[in-house]
Amino acid sequence: MSLSETITFFLFGLAVLFVVAVAWIIFKKRKKWAIALTSVLVVGYIGYYAYYPYLKVSIHAEKYEQVSEYLVTTYPDRKFMVIPEQYEEGDTVGYFDVNDEETPDMGVSLHVDKNGQVQQTGNWTTGEFPTQQELWRGLEFGYGESYTLDRDNIEITKQDEWIDGELTVFALTIDGMPAIAVYEYSRAGYGLMDLQVAEDDLFVSTSAEGHTFIYVDERYKEETAAVLVGDGETISVDAAEHKGKLFMFE
């Protein structure tokens, strides 16, 4: 039982004691009535306290059916995992972690209120520490607007990578446009340092720790690409030679 539930039962118990005390004052000349009322209140309180854990199991099962029906109705072409299916001590009744079966590492938290309405209360990822080569997958959750079940699918694919110690750089395609993501990675933690996504051109560049990184998409048709580097200088890159690969120069 949670702290809030314990406090609620404690306050409810005090209320029962108060009513019992008042009853004995009112019916001090009719002790049988006072005893009967006291018995009803005490037995009712103890009975409800004993039944409460089973009530939570029942309510949770009902809300599980409600959230499952909501998902089937709202997203008929998708399949979801919903947990916990059965209530266990420590869970919060009516709250569920939901993820699309195609994205098991991220999802949303849904709450079914007393009226049967389903609301999103947050989103989550598994929080597992990724390998250095898989850092880019965090963008599937964090890129663009906050993750919801209604958010349009973001297609992100890795095209190439460059790793030197803690510095990790990926050439990506995000919704069809070339991009470069720069990360810092160590045993202590990791973080996204920079993300550049091309807007119109089919090539993109960025600079990090004295290096300039360029990625030219396979669809780029010109022989060369004019790239603006960190110091404002424009350089010409042999696009035909470097297409589809992450290119670095100092």
Side-chain angles (χ1 to χ4, degrees), residues 33 44 54 73 86 106 108 118 135 148 165 169 172 179 204 239 248:
W33 289 18
Y54 301 98
T73 303
Q86 297 178 337
M106 60 184 180
V108 299
V118 179
L135 283 171
T148 68
V169 186
L172 307 169
V204 64
M248 183 275 292

Side-chain angles (χ1 to χ4, degrees), residues 22 52 60 104 115 188 197 209 213 215 222:
V22 172
Y52 186 67
H60 188 84
N115 298 317
V197 184
E209 297 187 4
F213 299 92
Y215 173 60
E222 304 296 328

